[in-house]
Amino acid sequence: MYAPERQQEILRLARDGGRVDVLSLAEEFQVTAETIRRDLKALDRAGLVRRVHGGAIPAGRLDFEPDLAEREGTAADEKDRIAKAALAELPAEGTMILDAGTTVARMAAALPLEASLTVVTHSLPIAARLADHPGMQLHLIGGRVRHRTRAAVDAWALRAYGEIRADVLFVAANGFSAEHGLTTPDLAEAAVKRAAVAAARRVVLLADSSKHGQEHFARFGDLGDVDLLITDSGLSPEDATAIERGGTEVLCV
């Protein structure tokens, strides 16, 4: 099969299934993963698909949102390093907001037992992780729970965040860039993230490098709203420098 024929079939599979992944395509077409990556790069340049970590989605699918189980298994090593580095940003006996996100959840799971903090979160999985932590004074934000993220959204959550002021927010994003800011697929989720940003004195973004340059449907802030980005070494030095020129400190781990 010639490359254009293979790429046409890859595009059909992406449109039919909502996404494709490199390893499955390599096995199906009996070619190397690197060949598939070149195919996806060509389709991306043509504006037919959008590259995501491990594969691609059809162009225009800015509302695409993988479920929680899939996101937990993506870039696991990078997320563990980011979560560990984030522990250095904990306030001393202060207050913090933990956004809904798999990297933030890994950070919550790694919180030392001796830590003594007031924690606010709208994430059910994070609240469950911290419910028995001896040093945490846990406040769970209520609202309608989204099944994909297990996060509370809508008016109750927005009202609660409007009534607090925290030392630091650890926030997640599905996409981030200097051009398009911080984005996520769901408008209700974006509204809660925006409210959490407004409720914190300091904002720390935890996001692996595959999310850089990604653009999703709902925008909840500028990259300049972030004081510190903690990401992995997959972010190029040039991209890190460009982000820091906008006023955001970058830590690659």
Side-chain angles (χ1 to χ4, degrees), residues 163-177:
E163 295 175 352
I164 67 169
R165 190 70 173 157
D167 293 313
V168 61
L169 160 68
F170 294 93
V171 67
N174 296 75
F176 68 94
S177 70

Side-chain angles (χ1 to χ4, degrees), residues 112-119 130 132-138:
L113 290 178
E114 64 271 17
S116 179
L117 295 162
T118 297
V119 181
L130 296 181
D132 294 326
H133 192 292
M136 296 299 156
Q137 192 174 84
L138 178 64

Side-chain angles (χ1 to χ4, degrees), residues 150-220:
R150 310 295 193 269
V153 296
D154 294 344
W156 286 359
L158 297 176
R159 186 163 57 246
Y161 276 127
E163 295 175 352
I164 67 169
R165 190 70 173 157
D167 293 313
V168 61
L169 160 68
F170 294 93
V171 67
N174 296 75
F176 68 94
S177 70
E179 296 78 16
H180 305 295
L182 310 170
T183 59
T184 195
D186 184 75
L187 283 170
E189 194 112 24
V192 175
K193 290 176 182 288
R194 190 179 303 114
V197 169
R201 297 181 183 89
R202 177 171 167 80
V203 177
V204 178
L205 173 63
L206 308 184
D208 65 80
S209 62
S210 70
K211 296 174 181 176
H212 178 253
Q214 297 297 318
E215 180 187 359
H216 292 266
F217 177 63
R219 189 173 183 275
F220 64 91

Side-chain angles (χ1 to χ4, degrees), residues 46-197:
L48 298 171
V49 303
R50 183 179 295 275
R51 295 291 306 275
V52 297
H53 186 78
I57 60 175
R61 285 291 304 279
L62 297 183
D63 59 339
F64 175 77
E65 185 175 16
D67 61 25
L68 195 60
E70 182 178 349
R71 288 188 291 118
E72 283 178 343
T74 302
D77 292 341
E78 291 86 347
K79 289 177 179 179
D80 283 338
R81 296 200 304 271
I82 293 167
K84 183 178 179 180
L87 297 177
E89 302 302 317
L90 294 176
E93 298 185 350
T95 58
M96 66 176 178
I97 299 170
L98 297 182
D99 183 29
T102 54
T103 309
V104 181
R106 288 170 185 262
M107 174 198 167
L111 287 170
L113 290 178
E114 64 271 17
S116 179
L117 295 162
T118 297
V119 181
V120 181
T121 187
H122 57 284
S123 165
L124 294 186
I126 290 176
R129 289 174 186 260
L130 296 181
D132 294 326
H133 192 292
M136 296 299 156
Q137 192 174 84
L138 178 64
H139 297 263
L140 176 60
I141 299 289
R144 176 177 64 87
V145 176
R146 292 194 66 233
H147 294 299
R148 277 202 174 275
T149 59
R150 310 295 193 269
V153 296
D154 294 344
W156 286 359
L158 297 176
R159 186 163 57 246
Y161 276 127
E163 295 175 352
I164 67 169
R165 190 70 173 157
D167 293 313
V168 61
L169 160 68
F170 294 93
V171 67
N174 296 75
F176 68 94
S177 70
E179 296 78 16
H180 305 295
L182 310 170
T183 59
T184 195
D186 184 75
L187 283 170
E189 194 112 24
V192 175
K193 290 176 182 288
R194 190 179 303 114
V197 169

